[in-house]
């Protein structure tokens, strides 16, 4: 009985590790303009669906997504968060 319980806990722990947990902060390279910080935790209160389709999982960030679909687009629409190049990109 005890052995079975230990085995179950191990299986659950292993299954859990197949899904990456959200980091509190991410950082992108941002090319020659300098790196960009993304404070994920500070954005979570906006609602997961603002950025994640369906179950929250990895979102591929590149220049087009960052500027035209997520980061800059939303900051401009809501007039909140950094909007100038150097407000996001830091050397
Ligand atoms: C809200 C934050 C934000 C603002 C404002 C912003 N960017 Fe970005 N930018 C990003 C993110 C995030 C990326 C993706 C970085 C990556 O993929 O490494 C990016 C990517 C880029 C890249 C491509 C880097 C590469 O090598 O792929 C360039 C160039 C760039 N930005 C220039 C600018 C310029 C110029 C402005 C102002 C007109 C600007 N950005 C404003 C967040 C921002
Ligand atoms: C403002 C946009 C935004 C909001 C809102 C947001 N996320 Fe995210 N989240 C992202 C981005 C972008 C990534 C990917 C970061 C990376 O790997 O570059 C991410 C990554 C994650 C990951 C890690 C996925 C993986 O496999 O690495 C989890 C889990 C997650 N988010 C959960 C949530 C939950 C839960 C909420 C709501 C409470 C939420 N997110 C709200 C943008 C957002
Ligand atoms: C759905 C809208 C939305 C999206 C998408 C979004 N943001 Fe924001 N962001 C906000 C809002 C709203 C704030 C202001 C938060 C506040 O004042 O509490 C903010 C604030 C920030 C701040 C300043 C945080 C601080 O502590 O001052 C940074 C940096 C930032 N965002 C980066 C990003 C980057 C990088 C992305 C894309 C990966 C992104 N954001 C995507 C809405 C968004």
């Amino acid at each position: 009985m005890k052995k079975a319980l230990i085995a179950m806990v191990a299986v659950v722990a292993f299954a859990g590790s197949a899904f990456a947990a959200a980091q509190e902060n991410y950082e992108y390279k941002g090319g020659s303009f300098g790196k960009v910080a993304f404070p994920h935790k500070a954005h979570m209160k906006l609602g997961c669906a603002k950025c994640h389709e369906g179950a929250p999982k990895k979102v591929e960030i590149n220049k087009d997504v960052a500027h035209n679909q997520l980061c800059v687009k939303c900051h401009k629409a809501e007039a909140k968060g950094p909007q100038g190049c150097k407000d996001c990109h830091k050397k």
Side-chain angles (χ1 to χ4, degrees):
M1 183 57 204
K2 202 172 175 193
K3 254 189 186 161
L5 190 66
I6 289 167
M8 257 177 65
V9 169
V11 165
V12 170
F14 181 75
S17 71
F19 302 91
Q23 290 172 219
E24 290 195 0
N25 297 294
Y26 291 90
E27 190 177 81
Y28 301 104
K29 290 200 181 87
S32 55
F33 268 77
K35 49 188 180 341
V36 177
F38 174 47
H40 184 259
K41 200 177 174 201
H43 285 80
M44 285 173 96
K45 63 177 184 287
L46 301 173
C48 321
K50 285 262 164 66
C51 302
H52 294 280
E53 259 177 73
K57 58 181 195 316
K58 182 138 178 75
V59 179
E60 214 52 67
I61 296 291
N62 54 44
K63 186 181 175 190
D64 183 53
V65 171
H67 289 183
N68 305 322
Q69 294 173 41
L70 286 178
C71 322
V72 183
K73 190 182 179 200
C74 178
H75 291 174
K76 287 198 169 149
E78 302 206 2
K80 280 185 189 147
Q83 293 155 56
C85 317
K86 295 201 164 151
D87 299 330
C88 271
H89 291 271
K90 312 270 184 196
K91 299 262 177 178

